[in-house]
Amino acid sequence: MTGRPLATALAFCLLLSSTAAYASEASDKVIAAAIDGFIRPAYGRLAETTADLGKSMITLCATPSPDNLAAARATFARTTATWSEVEIIRFGPITEQNRLERLLFWPDRKGTGLKQVQAALADQDATATDAATLGQKSVAMQGLGALEFVLFGTGADDLAGTSAAYRCAYGKAIAGNIGAIASDVDAAWRDDKGFASQWKNPGAANPLYRDANEALTELLEVYVNGLELVRDVRVNSFLGKDAASDKPKQALYWRSQGTGASLAGNISGMEALFSASKFGELVPSEERWVAESIGFEFTNAQAAAAAVTGPIDAALADPAKREKLSYFALVTSSLSEQFGTRLSGALGLTAGFSSLDGD
C-alpha cells in the first residue's frame, strides 16, 4: 500500500487511537468524579452519623430516660437515612469481611435475625454486649436490623428506665460495631492506593478492571442493581397487587417508621451519584435526551417516596399514599429501562451479573 491509500489508512488508525484515548480519559474523569464527588463524601457522612449513634447509645445506657431514648431513636433514623443513600454502592470495600451483610442483613425472609436477637435478649449473652466479640457473631445479630428491634421492638420502651440494662448494653455494642464498619469502609475508600485507585486506573495489569468499559460497567451496575433492589427486594416485598395482599411487616424499617425515608434515600443517592459523576455527559449529543429523561424520573421517584411518611401500615391503608408507592414502583421500572437499555446502549455497555441474584 502506497501513496494516498496508505496515508488514508494511517489517518484512520490515528483517528481510532485518538478516539479511544478520549473515551478512556472521559471515563477516567467520570469514575474519579463518582469517587470524589459522591462516594467518599457519602461514606464520610455515614461514619459521622454512626459515631453519633454510638454516642447516643452510650448516653442512653449511662442515663436512661425518655428523652435519651427519644434521642437515640432519632439518631438511629438519621443513620438509616444516611446509609440508604450510600448502600447503592454494593462493591469495593463494603463487600469485604461480610461488611454489607453485617451492616444490614436484609431481606430476612425466614426471620433469622429476629430469632437470634430475641434469643440474645432472653439469654443475656454477655459476648453480645462487646462490639469486638459481637462482630464475630452471626451477621443477623450485629447490624441495623438488630438495633432497630432493640430500640423499637417489643419491650424497647423499658430502655427509658433502669430495667433494661442488658438490652441497652447489647444495643450499645451493635452501634459500636456499626460505627467500626462504617469507619473502616470510609478509610478504605479514602486510601489513594487502595480500591479507588484500581477503579480509577483500569489496565491490562489491573486484576479488577482491564479497560475503561469494565470500569464504566461497574458504575452502570450501581443503577441496574440498585433499582432492582429498590423495586423487587424492597417495595415488592410488602406492596401487594391490591390492598388486601399488602404485607407491611415485610417492609424494611417498619418498626422505626423509616420505610419511606429509606426508599427516598436510595433514589437520592443514585441521583446524587449520577449528577456528581456526570455519567450522562458521556452519551453522544444526539442521545443526550436519555440523561435528561433519567433526571426527570429521579425527581418523580423522590417526590413519590417523600409522600410516604409515618408507619408503613398506615401509609398502605391510605389510598393516596398507597398510590404513591405504586407510582414509585412504576418509575423505578422506567429508570431500570433507561439505564439498562437506553443509557447502556448509547455507551456500548452491558450490565452483567446481578449482585442480588439468589436473594
Side-chain angles (χ1 to χ4, degrees), residues 146-164:
L147 185 55
E148 183 187 34
F149 186 82
V150 169
L151 285 171
F152 298 90
T154 304
D157 288 344
D158 291 345
L159 290 167
T162 58
S163 63

Side-chain angles (χ1 to χ4, degrees), residues 12-349:
F12 181 68
C13 289
L14 287 172
L15 175 63
L16 287 178
S17 177
S18 62
T19 300
Y22 170 77
S24 178
E25 180 182 356
S27 67
D28 289 351
K29 288 181 179 178
V30 166
I31 299 304
I35 294 170
D36 295 328
F38 174 75
I39 296 175
R40 283 175 170 169
Y43 272 120
R45 289 192 297 273
L46 181 66
E48 292 174 0
T49 307
T50 55
D52 289 341
L53 178 63
K55 293 174 184 175
S56 71
M57 288 303 301
I58 290 172
T59 299
L60 174 62
C61 295
T63 313
S65 72
D67 286 347
N68 285 339
L69 175 56
R73 286 172 168 172
T75 310
F76 176 85
R78 289 197 298 274
T79 300
T80 55
T82 304
W83 163 244
S84 295
E85 292 182 0
V86 76
E87 73 166 319
I88 59 169
I89 306 300
R90 304 174 77 82
F91 65 96
I94 193 67
T95 64
E96 299 171 6
Q97 302 173 27
N98 294 320
R99 287 169 175 151
L100 183 59
E101 295 79 10
R102 289 168 58 207
L103 200 53
L104 177 62
F105 179 69
W106 191 270
D108 182 11
R109 296 190 178 99
K110 296 181 179 179
T112 302
L114 177 61
K115 293 173 185 175
Q116 292 180 352
V117 170
Q118 289 176 325
L121 292 173
D123 299 340
Q124 298 200 1
D125 176 7
T127 60
T129 60
D130 178 84
T133 54
L134 178 62
Q136 305 302 314
K137 290 183 175 292
S138 164
V139 296
M141 291 182 63
Q142 52 177 294
L144 291 167
L147 185 55
E148 183 187 34
F149 186 82
V150 169
L151 285 171
F152 298 90
T154 304
D157 288 344
D158 291 345
L159 290 167
T162 58
S163 63
Y166 175 83
R167 186 180 191 119
C168 201
Y170 175 35
K172 182 172 67 175
I174 298 172
N177 179 66
I178 290 171
I181 294 171
S183 179
D184 287 346
V185 176
D186 178 43
W189 271 106
R190 294 183 189 282
D191 181 0
D192 288 328
K193 296 181 180 180
F195 178 83
S197 177
Q198 288 182 296
W199 193 24
K200 284 191 292 187
N201 299 289
N206 188 323
L208 297 178
Y209 306 103
R210 291 170 295 180
D211 55 39
N213 273 6
E214 290 191 357
L216 282 178
T217 297
E218 186 77 271
L219 181 59
L220 173 66
E221 289 181 347
V222 169
Y223 302 100
V224 174
N225 291 342
L227 290 162
E228 180 184 346
L229 169 75
V230 171
R231 183 188 65 248
D232 296 340
V233 181
R234 298 286 166 81
V235 177
N236 289 345
S237 69
F238 68 86
L239 182 65
K241 294 181 179 180
D242 52 48
S245 56
D246 289 340
K247 299 177 181 177
K249 291 187 178 181
Q250 293 296 316
L252 179 63
Y253 307 132
W254 69 267
R255 289 185 177 86
S256 56
Q257 301 183 19
T259 303
S262 175
L263 296 175
N266 292 153
I267 295 299
S268 177
M270 288 186 223
E271 193 281 331
L273 175 62
F274 191 68
S275 177
S277 67
K278 301 187 185 304
F279 195 14
E281 294 184 11
L282 291 179
V283 179
S285 57
E286 64 272 17
E287 297 184 81
R288 194 61 57 83
W289 65 269
V290 175
E292 294 172 355
S293 179
I294 285 172
F296 179 73
E297 292 290 51
F298 272 141
T299 299
N300 289 338
Q302 286 178 290
V308 183
T309 57
I312 192 62
D313 56 347
L316 290 169
D318 181 331
K321 289 184 178 180
R322 192 178 187 283
E323 180 60 30
K324 290 292 185 182
L325 279 167
S326 296
Y327 179 67
F328 179 85
L330 181 67
V331 173
T332 54
S333 292
S334 173
L335 280 165
S336 289
E337 196 270 341
Q338 297 282 3
F339 277 103
T341 301
R342 299 187 183 279
L343 185 70
S344 62
L347 295 175
L349 303 174

